[in-house]
Amino acid sequence: MIEIPSDLHKDLVPLAFLLGSWAGAGVHDFPGSEKCNFGQEVTFSHDGRDFLEYHSHTWVLDHDGNKVRPLESESGFWRIDADRKVEVTMVRDDGVIEIWYGEMADQKPQIDLVTDAVARTAASAPYSGGKRLYGYVKSDLMWVGEKQTPEVELRPYMSAHLKKVVTPEDVERWAKALPDDMPDDGIAFFK
């Protein structure tokens, strides 16, 4: 279920499906890097202004699904205009700063992004751009990222399947929204 907070900036309503905390797992595979499964936590939040704040942390998982070490962290800001054009500014822990542009698909919660500008610190690994696809599918957030370097052509390198994290505050809000005339046994509610 997509909720639209009453204090969400009106321009951000098409991006409301991203709001909240998400957690899940995915696969990382890029030449010159360790191929691995990873865990991920992502948060999209807002403060009433015309952007979403974004934070993502990933970590390598062992064969039993336990955290081994950090993999990648990034944070940034997402905006959308009246023509459904999306812009993202992003900073990564490896010394890369990116500006992404793209658009939201017509009639569905899906966003395609492509890097427009990349800046790197001297310590960062070679990187020249990428693409990302985010989609809201059956109440889950799924994404795939593509990456290119001067030595490697654009190719998929990470993808993940994330579930919405439910907080105690969410449960309390949903409980308060239940109808007052709920049957005592709860069974009749589902008939």
Side-chain angles (χ1 to χ4, degrees):
M1 176 171 73
I2 299 173
E3 291 185 38
I4 301 174
S6 60
D7 60 341
L8 183 66
H9 192 283
K10 64 179 176 53
D11 295 350
L12 297 175
V13 170
L15 299 179
F17 73 94
L18 294 170
L19 286 171
S21 295
W22 303 85
V27 177
H28 176 275
D29 183 14
F30 195 75
S33 300
E34 172 187 13
K35 182 177 180 179
C36 66
N37 292 332
F38 66 89
Q40 183 175 26
E41 292 176 350
V42 173
T43 302
F44 286 92
S45 60
H46 74 97
D47 63 7
R49 292 183 280 175
D50 68 342
F51 59 83
L52 295 182
E53 192 169 344
Y54 163 79
H55 296 282
S56 170
H57 300 282
T58 59
W59 55 89
V60 174
L61 297 175
D62 67 16
H63 294 291
D64 296 322
N66 299 309
K67 289 182 182 181
V68 176
R69 68 182 167 284
L71 179 62
E72 201 173 84
S73 295
E74 55 191 28
S75 55
F77 301 93
W78 292 53
R79 289 180 168 83
I80 188 167
D81 69 15
D83 295 323
R84 301 173 67 86
K85 303 293 185 209
V86 178
E87 67 177 40
V88 178
T89 55
M90 194 176 304
V91 177
R92 295 202 214 179
D93 64 343
D94 63 356
V96 172
I97 300 168
E98 300 160 297
I99 296 177
W100 299 77
Y101 285 106
E103 61 185 292
M104 190 157 174
D106 192 31
Q107 303 296 317
K108 60 182 172 179
Q110 176 181 309
I111 300 168
D112 287 289
L113 297 169
V114 177
T115 50
D116 180 67
V118 175
R120 298 176 25 250
T121 63
S124 70
Y127 172 71
S128 46
K131 288 183 174 184
R132 291 206 186 169
L133 172 65
Y134 290 83
Y136 185 75
V137 181
K138 297 182 181 177
S139 300
D140 293 344
L141 183 62
M142 303 171 101
W143 72 273
V144 61
E146 296 180 52
K147 176 178 169 177
Q148 71 183 29
T149 70
E151 297 81 26
V152 180
E153 290 185 19
L154 185 68
R155 59 159 284 174
Y157 84 107
M158 285 181 98
S159 62
H161 185 157
L162 309 173
K163 301 267 184 197
K164 187 83 164 242
V165 175
V166 178
T167 67
E169 293 79 19
D170 292 330
V171 174
E172 182 179 346
R173 188 176 68 255
W174 296 334
K176 288 179 181 176
L178 288 173
D180 291 333
D181 60 345
M182 284 282 291
D184 290 336
D185 64 2
I187 304 278
F189 178 73
F190 295 101
K191 290 184 179 177

PDB file of all heavy atoms in Angstrom, residues 134-164:
ATOM      1  N   TYR A 134      14.601   1.621 -10.961  1.00  0.00           N
ATOM      2  CA  TYR A 134      13.913   1.359  -9.698  1.00  0.00           C
ATOM      3  C   TYR A 134      12.452   1.075 -10.029  1.00  0.00           C
ATOM      4  O   TYR A 134      11.862   1.760 -10.866  1.00  0.00           O
ATOM      5  CB  TYR A 134      13.959   2.579  -8.771  1.00  0.00           C
ATOM      6  CG  TYR A 134      15.319   2.876  -8.208  1.00  0.00           C
ATOM      7  CD1 TYR A 134      16.250   3.595  -8.937  1.00  0.00           C
ATOM      8  CD2 TYR A 134      15.673   2.434  -6.934  1.00  0.00           C
ATOM      9  CE1 TYR A 134      17.510   3.878  -8.416  1.00  0.00           C
ATOM     10  CE2 TYR A 134      16.926   2.719  -6.412  1.00  0.00           C
ATOM     11  CZ  TYR A 134      17.830   3.442  -7.160  1.00  0.00           C
ATOM     12  OH  TYR A 134      19.081   3.715  -6.646  1.00  0.00           O
ATOM     13  N   GLY A 135      11.867   0.083  -9.352  1.00  0.00           N
ATOM     14  CA  GLY A 135      10.461  -0.217  -9.571  1.00  0.00           C
ATOM     15  C   GLY A 135       9.780  -0.699  -8.311  1.00  0.00           C
ATOM     16  O   GLY A 135      10.391  -1.375  -7.482  1.00  0.00           O
ATOM     17  N   TYR A 136       8.532  -0.326  -8.177  1.00  0.00           N
ATOM     18  CA  TYR A 136       7.687  -0.758  -7.069  1.00  0.00           C
ATOM     19  C   TYR A 136       6.839  -1.902  -7.617  1.00  0.00           C
ATOM     20  O   TYR A 136       5.964  -1.692  -8.466  1.00  0.00           O
ATOM     21  CB  TYR A 136       6.827   0.419  -6.615  1.00  0.00           C
ATOM     22  CG  TYR A 136       5.977   0.172  -5.407  1.00  0.00           C
ATOM     23  CD1 TYR A 136       6.531   0.128  -4.132  1.00  0.00           C
ATOM     24  CD2 TYR A 136       4.598   0.027  -5.528  1.00  0.00           C
ATOM     25  CE1 TYR A 136       5.739  -0.068  -3.009  1.00  0.00           C
ATOM     26  CE2 TYR A 136       3.801  -0.157  -4.416  1.00  0.00           C
ATOM     27  CZ  TYR A 136       4.379  -0.208  -3.163  1.00  0.00           C
ATOM     28  OH  TYR A 136       3.582  -0.394  -2.048  1.00  0.00           O
ATOM     29  N   VAL A 137       7.142  -3.127  -7.167  1.00  0.00           N
ATOM     30  CA  VAL A 137       6.509  -4.320  -7.712  1.00  0.00           C
ATOM     31  C   VAL A 137       5.886  -5.124  -6.577  1.00  0.00           C
ATOM     32  O   VAL A 137       6.593  -5.603  -5.689  1.00  0.00           O
ATOM     33  CB  VAL A 137       7.549  -5.195  -8.470  1.00  0.00           C
ATOM     34  CG1 VAL A 137       6.882  -6.428  -9.053  1.00  0.00           C
ATOM     35  CG2 VAL A 137       8.260  -4.385  -9.533  1.00  0.00           C
ATOM     36  N   LYS A 138       4.564  -5.251  -6.589  1.00  0.00           N
ATOM     37  CA  LYS A 138       3.834  -6.018  -5.567  1.00  0.00           C
ATOM     38  C   LYS A 138       4.263  -5.606  -4.161  1.00  0.00           C
ATOM     39  O   LYS A 138       4.597  -6.446  -3.319  1.00  0.00           O
ATOM     40  CB  LYS A 138       4.015  -7.516  -5.791  1.00  0.00           C
ATOM     41  CG  LYS A 138       3.449  -7.998  -7.109  1.00  0.00           C
ATOM     42  CD  LYS A 138       3.595  -9.494  -7.274  1.00  0.00           C
ATOM     43  CE  LYS A 138       3.020  -9.903  -8.620  1.00  0.00           C
ATOM     44  NZ  LYS A 138       3.187 -11.326  -8.868  1.00  0.00           N
ATOM     45  N   SER A 139       4.284  -4.314  -3.904  1.00  0.00           N
ATOM     46  CA  SER A 139       4.622  -3.706  -2.607  1.00  0.00           C
ATOM     47  C   SER A 139       6.096  -3.812  -2.233  1.00  0.00           C
ATOM     48  O   SER A 139       6.471  -3.494  -1.103  1.00  0.00           O
ATOM     49  CB  SER A 139       3.754  -4.297  -1.479  1.00  0.00           C
ATOM     50  OG  SER A 139       2.395  -4.054  -1.727  1.00  0.00           O
ATOM     51  N   ASP A 140       6.930  -4.282  -3.117  1.00  0.00           N
ATOM     52  CA  ASP A 140       8.371  -4.360  -2.869  1.00  0.00           C
ATOM     53  C   ASP A 140       9.098  -3.348  -3.753  1.00  0.00           C
ATOM     54  O   ASP A 140       8.599  -2.971  -4.816  1.00  0.00           O
ATOM     55  CB  ASP A 140       8.900  -5.762  -3.178  1.00  0.00           C
ATOM     56  CG  ASP A 140       8.369  -6.817  -2.234  1.00  0.00           C
ATOM     57  OD1 ASP A 140       7.830  -6.472  -1.159  1.00  0.00           O
ATOM     58  OD2 ASP A 140       8.485  -8.012  -2.575  1.00  0.00           O
ATOM     59  N   LEU A 141      10.287  -2.943  -3.317  1.00  0.00           N
ATOM     60  CA  LEU A 141      11.127  -2.059  -4.109  1.00  0.00           C
ATOM     61  C   LEU A 141      12.242  -2.900  -4.714  1.00  0.00           C
ATOM     62  O   LEU A 141      12.971  -3.589  -3.996  1.00  0.00           O
ATOM     63  CB  LEU A 141      11.712  -0.943  -3.233  1.00  0.00           C
ATOM     64  CG  LEU A 141      12.557   0.093  -3.954  1.00  0.00           C
ATOM     65  CD1 LEU A 141      11.734   0.836  -5.003  1.00  0.00           C
ATOM     66  CD2 LEU A 141      13.143   1.086  -2.956  1.00  0.00           C
ATOM     67  N   MET A 142      12.346  -2.856  -6.034  1.00  0.00           N
ATOM     68  CA  MET A 142      13.391  -3.608  -6.725  1.00  0.00           C
ATOM     69  C   MET A 142      14.218  -2.625  -7.542  1.00  0.00           C
ATOM     70  O   MET A 142      13.689  -1.622  -8.019  1.00  0.00           O
ATOM     71  CB  MET A 142      12.764  -4.674  -7.615  1.00  0.00           C
ATOM     72  CG  MET A 142      11.879  -5.623  -6.823  1.00  0.00           C
ATOM     73  SD  MET A 142      10.939  -6.707  -7.874  1.00  0.00           S
ATOM     74  CE  MET A 142      11.932  -8.163  -7.730  1.00  0.00           C
ATOM     75  N   TRP A 143      15.499  -2.926  -7.660  1.00  0.00           N
ATOM     76  CA  TRP A 143      16.349  -2.046  -8.460  1.00  0.00           C
ATOM     77  C   TRP A 143      17.490  -2.836  -9.074  1.00  0.00           C
ATOM     78  O   TRP A 143      17.873  -3.890  -8.581  1.00  0.00           O
ATOM     79  CB  TRP A 143      16.863  -0.864  -7.627  1.00  0.00           C
ATOM     80  CG  TRP A 143      17.900  -1.208  -6.602  1.00  0.00           C
ATOM     81  CD1 TRP A 143      17.683  -1.619  -5.319  1.00  0.00           C
ATOM     82  CD2 TRP A 143      19.317  -1.170  -6.767  1.00  0.00           C
ATOM     83  NE1 TRP A 143      18.879  -1.836  -4.688  1.00  0.00           N
ATOM     84  CE2 TRP A 143      19.897  -1.559  -5.544  1.00  0.00           C
ATOM     85  CE3 TRP A 143      20.155  -0.836  -7.822  1.00  0.00           C
ATOM     86  CZ2 TRP A 143      21.275  -1.636  -5.365  1.00  0.00           C
ATOM     87  CZ3 TRP A 143      21.530  -0.911  -7.639  1.00  0.00           C
ATOM     88  CH2 TRP A 143      22.066  -1.304  -6.408  1.00  0.00           C
ATOM     89  N   VAL A 144      17.989  -2.307 -10.173  1.00  0.00           N
ATOM     90  CA  VAL A 144      19.174  -2.862 -10.818  1.00  0.00           C
ATOM     91  C   VAL A 144      20.049  -1.686 -11.228  1.00  0.00           C
ATOM     92  O   VAL A 144      19.555  -0.656 -11.687  1.00  0.00           O
ATOM     93  CB  VAL A 144      18.822  -3.762 -12.032  1.00  0.00           C
ATOM     94  CG1 VAL A 144      18.090  -2.991 -13.097  1.00  0.00           C
ATOM     95  CG2 VAL A 144      20.059  -4.434 -12.589  1.00  0.00           C
ATOM     96  N   GLY A 145      21.353  -1.828 -11.022  1.00  0.00           N
ATOM     97  CA  GLY A 145      22.299  -0.794 -11.398  1.00  0.00           C
ATOM     98  C   GLY A 145      23.280  -1.312 -12.429  1.00  0.00           C
ATOM     99  O   GLY A 145      23.714  -2.461 -12.371  1.00  0.00           O
ATOM    100  N   GLU A 146      23.605  -0.453 -13.383  1.00  0.00           N
ATOM    101  CA  GLU A 146      24.634  -0.746 -14.374  1.00  0.00           C
ATOM    102  C   GLU A 146      25.771   0.235 -14.163  1.00  0.00           C
ATOM    103  O   GLU A 146      25.552   1.348 -13.688  1.00  0.00           O
ATOM    104  CB  GLU A 146      24.072  -0.610 -15.792  1.00  0.00           C
ATOM    105  CG  GLU A 146      22.978  -1.596 -16.102  1.00  0.00           C
ATOM    106  CD  GLU A 146      22.450  -1.438 -17.517  1.00  0.00           C
ATOM    107  OE1 GLU A 146      23.262  -1.436 -18.460  1.00  0.00           O
ATOM    108  OE2 GLU A 146      21.229  -1.297 -17.659  1.00  0.00           O
ATOM    109  N   LYS A 147      26.976  -0.185 -14.532  1.00  0.00           N
ATOM    110  CA  LYS A 147      28.161   0.620 -14.267  1.00  0.00           C
ATOM    111  C   LYS A 147      29.140   0.475 -15.421  1.00  0.00           C
ATOM    112  O   LYS A 147      29.201  -0.574 -16.060  1.00  0.00           O
ATOM    113  CB  LYS A 147      28.784   0.101 -12.957  1.00  0.00           C
ATOM    114  CG  LYS A 147      30.052   0.706 -12.521  1.00  0.00           C
ATOM    115  CD  LYS A 147      30.433   0.065 -11.175  1.00  0.00           C
ATOM    116  CE  LYS A 147      31.808   0.388 -10.724  1.00  0.00           C
ATOM    117  NZ  LYS A 147      32.117  -0.184  -9.416  1.00  0.00           N
ATOM    118  N   GLN A 148      29.909   1.556 -15.677  1.00  0.00           N
ATOM    119  CA  GLN A 148      30.981   1.462 -16.660  1.00  0.00           C
ATOM    120  C   GLN A 148      32.216   2.188 -16.141  1.00  0.00           C
ATOM    121  O   GLN A 148      32.125   3.101 -15.326  1.00  0.00           O
ATOM    122  CB  GLN A 148      30.566   2.028 -18.012  1.00  0.00           C
ATOM    123  CG  GLN A 148      30.428   3.520 -18.062  1.00  0.00           C
ATOM    124  CD  GLN A 148      29.944   3.991 -19.430  1.00  0.00           C
ATOM    125  OE1 GLN A 148      29.244   3.271 -20.127  1.00  0.00           O
ATOM    126  NE2 GLN A 148      30.310   5.204 -19.790  1.00  0.00           N
ATOM    127  N   THR A 149      33.351   1.703 -16.587  1.00  0.00           N
ATOM    128  CA  THR A 149      34.635   2.326 -16.272  1.00  0.00           C
ATOM    129  C   THR A 149      35.363   2.516 -17.599  1.00  0.00           C
ATOM    130  O   THR A 149      34.903   2.019 -18.635  1.00  0.00           O
ATOM    131  CB  THR A 149      35.482   1.431 -15.342  1.00  0.00           C
ATOM    132  OG1 THR A 149      35.919   0.285 -16.069  1.00  0.00           O
ATOM    133  CG2 THR A 149      34.713   1.006 -14.098  1.00  0.00           C
ATOM    134  N   PRO A 150      36.501   3.192 -17.606  1.00  0.00           N
ATOM    135  CA  PRO A 150      37.245   3.293 -18.861  1.00  0.00           C
ATOM    136  C   PRO A 150      37.641   1.921 -19.425  1.00  0.00           C
ATOM    137  O   PRO A 150      37.784   1.769 -20.633  1.00  0.00           O
ATOM    138  CB  PRO A 150      38.487   4.101 -18.471  1.00  0.00           C
ATOM    139  CG  PRO A 150      38.031   4.931 -17.316  1.00  0.00           C
ATOM    140  CD  PRO A 150      37.076   4.043 -16.561  1.00  0.00           C
ATOM    141  N   GLU A 151      37.752   0.905 -18.556  1.00  0.00           N
ATOM    142  CA  GLU A 151      38.162  -0.431 -19.003  1.00  0.00           C
ATOM    143  C   GLU A 151      36.999  -1.391 -19.247  1.00  0.00           C
ATOM    144  O   GLU A 151      37.146  -2.388 -19.940  1.00  0.00           O
ATOM    145  CB  GLU A 151      39.088  -1.085 -17.964  1.00  0.00           C
ATOM    146  CG  GLU A 151      40.402  -0.367 -17.737  1.00  0.00           C
ATOM    147  CD  GLU A 151      40.270   0.828 -16.785  1.00  0.00           C
ATOM    148  OE1 GLU A 151      39.358   0.837 -15.936  1.00  0.00           O
ATOM    149  OE2 GLU A 151      41.068   1.766 -16.918  1.00  0.00           O
ATOM    150  N   VAL A 152      35.835  -1.137 -18.646  1.00  0.00           N
ATOM    151  CA  VAL A 152      34.698  -2.059 -18.725  1.00  0.00           C
ATOM    152  C   VAL A 152      33.485  -1.320 -19.283  1.00  0.00           C
ATOM    153  O   VAL A 152      33.097  -0.275 -18.766  1.00  0.00           O
ATOM    154  CB  VAL A 152      34.352  -2.634 -17.328  1.00  0.00           C
ATOM    155  CG1 VAL A 152      33.171  -3.590 -17.423  1.00  0.00           C
ATOM    156  CG2 VAL A 152      35.559  -3.326 -16.713  1.00  0.00           C
ATOM    157  N   GLU A 153      32.884  -1.873 -20.340  1.00  0.00           N
ATOM    158  CA  GLU A 153      31.682  -1.283 -20.928  1.00  0.00           C
ATOM    159  C   GLU A 153      30.525  -1.363 -19.939  1.00  0.00           C
ATOM    160  O   GLU A 153      30.523  -2.186 -19.020  1.00  0.00           O
ATOM    161  CB  GLU A 153      31.315  -2.014 -22.216  1.00  0.00           C
ATOM    162  CG  GLU A 153      32.277  -1.764 -23.356  1.00  0.00           C
ATOM    163  CD  GLU A 153      31.807  -2.406 -24.648  1.00  0.00           C
ATOM    164  OE1 GLU A 153      30.614  -2.725 -24.781  1.00  0.00           O
ATOM    165  OE2 GLU A 153      32.659  -2.579 -25.529  1.00  0.00           O
ATOM    166  N   LEU A 154      29.517  -0.533 -20.165  1.00  0.00           N
ATOM    167  CA  LEU A 154      28.330  -0.503 -19.310  1.00  0.00           C
ATOM    168  C   LEU A 154      27.740  -1.900 -19.200  1.00  0.00           C
ATOM    169  O   LEU A 154      27.493  -2.561 -20.208  1.00  0.00           O
ATOM    170  CB  LEU A 154      27.302   0.460 -19.902  1.00  0.00           C
ATOM    171  CG  LEU A 154      26.053   0.711 -19.069  1.00  0.00           C
ATOM    172  CD1 LEU A 154      26.401   1.478 -17.796  1.00  0.00           C
ATOM    173  CD2 LEU A 154      25.021   1.485 -19.880  1.00  0.00           C
ATOM    174  N   ARG A 155      27.557  -2.344 -17.949  1.00  0.00           N
ATOM    175  CA  ARG A 155      26.997  -3.670 -17.699  1.00  0.00           C
ATOM    176  C   ARG A 155      26.368  -3.705 -16.317  1.00  0.00           C
ATOM    177  O   ARG A 155      26.746  -2.940 -15.433  1.00  0.00           O
ATOM    178  CB  ARG A 155      28.064  -4.747 -17.821  1.00  0.00           C
ATOM    179  CG  ARG A 155      29.221  -4.558 -16.855  1.00  0.00           C
ATOM    180  CD  ARG A 155      29.996  -5.790 -16.610  1.00  0.00           C
ATOM    181  NE  ARG A 155      29.205  -6.629 -15.713  1.00  0.00           N
ATOM    182  CZ  ARG A 155      29.530  -7.851 -15.361  1.00  0.00           C
ATOM    183  NH1 ARG A 155      30.616  -8.406 -15.819  1.00  0.00           N
ATOM    184  NH2 ARG A 155      28.784  -8.553 -14.545  1.00  0.00           N
ATOM    185  N   PRO A 156      25.381  -4.604 -16.087  1.00  0.00           N
ATOM    186  CA  PRO A 156      24.792  -4.719 -14.753  1.00  0.00           C
ATOM    187  C   PRO A 156      25.862  -5.104 -13.733  1.00  0.00           C
ATOM    188  O   PRO A 156      26.765  -5.885 -14.029  1.00  0.00           O
ATOM    189  CB  PRO A 156      23.766  -5.846 -14.908  1.00  0.00           C
ATOM    190  CG  PRO A 156      23.463  -5.880 -16.370  1.00  0.00           C
ATOM    191  CD  PRO A 156      24.746  -5.492 -17.051  1.00  0.00           C
ATOM    192  N   TYR A 157      25.762  -4.524 -12.528  1.00  0.00           N
ATOM    193  CA  TYR A 157      26.722  -4.863 -11.489  1.00  0.00           C
ATOM    194  C   TYR A 157      26.080  -5.097 -10.129  1.00  0.00           C
ATOM    195  O   TYR A 157      26.653  -5.769  -9.282  1.00  0.00           O
ATOM    196  CB  TYR A 157      27.825  -3.805 -11.388  1.00  0.00           C
ATOM    197  CG  TYR A 157      27.477  -2.598 -10.542  1.00  0.00           C
ATOM    198  CD1 TYR A 157      28.044  -2.427  -9.280  1.00  0.00           C
ATOM    199  CD2 TYR A 157      26.590  -1.638 -10.986  1.00  0.00           C
ATOM    200  CE1 TYR A 157      27.733  -1.331  -8.504  1.00  0.00           C
ATOM    201  CE2 TYR A 157      26.283  -0.542 -10.224  1.00  0.00           C
ATOM    202  CZ  TYR A 157      26.848  -0.387  -8.982  1.00  0.00           C
ATOM    203  OH  TYR A 157      26.535   0.696  -8.206  1.00  0.00           O
ATOM    204  N   MET A 158      24.899  -4.534  -9.894  1.00  0.00           N
ATOM    205  CA  MET A 158      24.198  -4.762  -8.626  1.00  0.00           C
ATOM    206  C   MET A 158      22.699  -4.792  -8.891  1.00  0.00           C
ATOM    207  O   MET A 158      22.205  -4.063  -9.744  1.00  0.00           O
ATOM    208  CB  MET A 158      24.470  -3.635  -7.614  1.00  0.00           C
ATOM    209  CG  MET A 158      25.810  -3.657  -6.965  1.00  0.00           C
ATOM    210  SD  MET A 158      26.004  -2.290  -5.759  1.00  0.00           S
ATOM    211  CE  MET A 158      25.645  -3.164  -4.236  1.00  0.00           C
ATOM    212  N   SER A 159      22.005  -5.622  -8.128  1.00  0.00           N
ATOM    213  CA  SER A 159      20.542  -5.603  -8.137  1.00  0.00           C
ATOM    214  C   SER A 159      20.073  -6.104  -6.784  1.00  0.00           C
ATOM    215  O   SER A 159      20.776  -6.867  -6.116  1.00  0.00           O
ATOM    216  CB  SER A 159      19.985  -6.481  -9.262  1.00  0.00           C
ATOM    217  OG  SER A 159      20.367  -7.828  -9.070  1.00  0.00           O
ATOM    218  N   ALA A 160      18.891  -5.628  -6.375  1.00  0.00           N
ATOM    219  CA  ALA A 160      18.373  -6.037  -5.071  1.00  0.00           C
ATOM    220  C   ALA A 160      16.853  -6.054  -5.065  1.00  0.00           C
ATOM    221  O   ALA A 160      16.201  -5.372  -5.861  1.00  0.00           O
ATOM    222  CB  ALA A 160      18.883  -5.105  -3.973  1.00  0.00           C
ATOM    223  N   HIS A 161      16.333  -6.833  -4.149  1.00  0.00           N
ATOM    224  CA  HIS A 161      14.897  -6.953  -3.894  1.00  0.00           C
ATOM    225  C   HIS A 161      14.698  -6.546  -2.436  1.00  0.00           C
ATOM    226  O   HIS A 161      15.205  -7.216  -1.528  1.00  0.00           O
ATOM    227  CB  HIS A 161      14.473  -8.399  -4.127  1.00  0.00           C
ATOM    228  CG  HIS A 161      13.010  -8.629  -4.008  1.00  0.00           C
ATOM    229  ND1 HIS A 161      12.399  -9.680  -4.608  1.00  0.00           N
ATOM    230  CD2 HIS A 161      12.020  -7.963  -3.361  1.00  0.00           C
ATOM    231  CE1 HIS A 161      11.110  -9.661  -4.341  1.00  0.00           C
ATOM    232  NE2 HIS A 161      10.863  -8.626  -3.575  1.00  0.00           N
ATOM    233  N   LEU A 162      13.961  -5.453  -2.214  1.00  0.00           N
ATOM    234  CA  LEU A 162      13.815  -4.888  -0.871  1.00  0.00           C
ATOM    235  C   LEU A 162      12.362  -4.916  -0.414  1.00  0.00           C
ATOM    236  O   LEU A 162      11.446  -4.693  -1.204  1.00  0.00           O
ATOM    237  CB  LEU A 162      14.321  -3.441  -0.852  1.00  0.00           C
ATOM    238  CG  LEU A 162      15.725  -3.217  -1.426  1.00  0.00           C
ATOM    239  CD1 LEU A 162      16.025  -1.735  -1.511  1.00  0.00           C
ATOM    240  CD2 LEU A 162      16.769  -3.948  -0.608  1.00  0.00           C
ATOM    241  N   LYS A 163      12.182  -5.177   0.866  1.00  0.00           N
ATOM    242  CA  LYS A 163      10.858  -5.178   1.496  1.00  0.00           C
ATOM    243  C   LYS A 163      10.740  -3.957   2.402  1.00  0.00           C
ATOM    244  O   LYS A 163      11.721  -3.518   3.007  1.00  0.00           O
ATOM    245  CB  LYS A 163      10.677  -6.436   2.362  1.00  0.00           C
ATOM    246  CG  LYS A 163      10.816  -7.727   1.601  1.00  0.00           C
ATOM    247  CD  LYS A 163       9.495  -8.182   1.131  1.00  0.00           C
ATOM    248  CE  LYS A 163       9.614  -9.539   0.446  1.00  0.00           C
ATOM    249  NZ  LYS A 163       8.447  -9.807  -0.347  1.00  0.00           N
ATOM    250  N   LYS A 164       9.538  -3.440   2.518  1.00  0.00           N
ATOM    251  CA  LYS A 164       9.282  -2.294   3.392  1.00  0.00           C
ATOM    252  C   LYS A 164       9.464  -2.730   4.851  1.00  0.00           C
ATOM    253  O   LYS A 164       8.999  -3.785   5.261  1.00  0.00           O
ATOM    254  CB  LYS A 164       7.851  -1.788   3.168  1.00  0.00           C
ATOM    255  CG  LYS A 164       7.510  -0.521   3.867  1.00  0.00           C
ATOM    256  CD  LYS A 164       7.992   0.656   3.036  1.00  0.00           C
ATOM    257  CE  LYS A 164       7.378   1.946   3.430  1.00  0.00           C
ATOM    258  NZ  LYS A 164       6.590   2.582   2.421  1.00  0.00           N
TER     259      LYS A 164
END
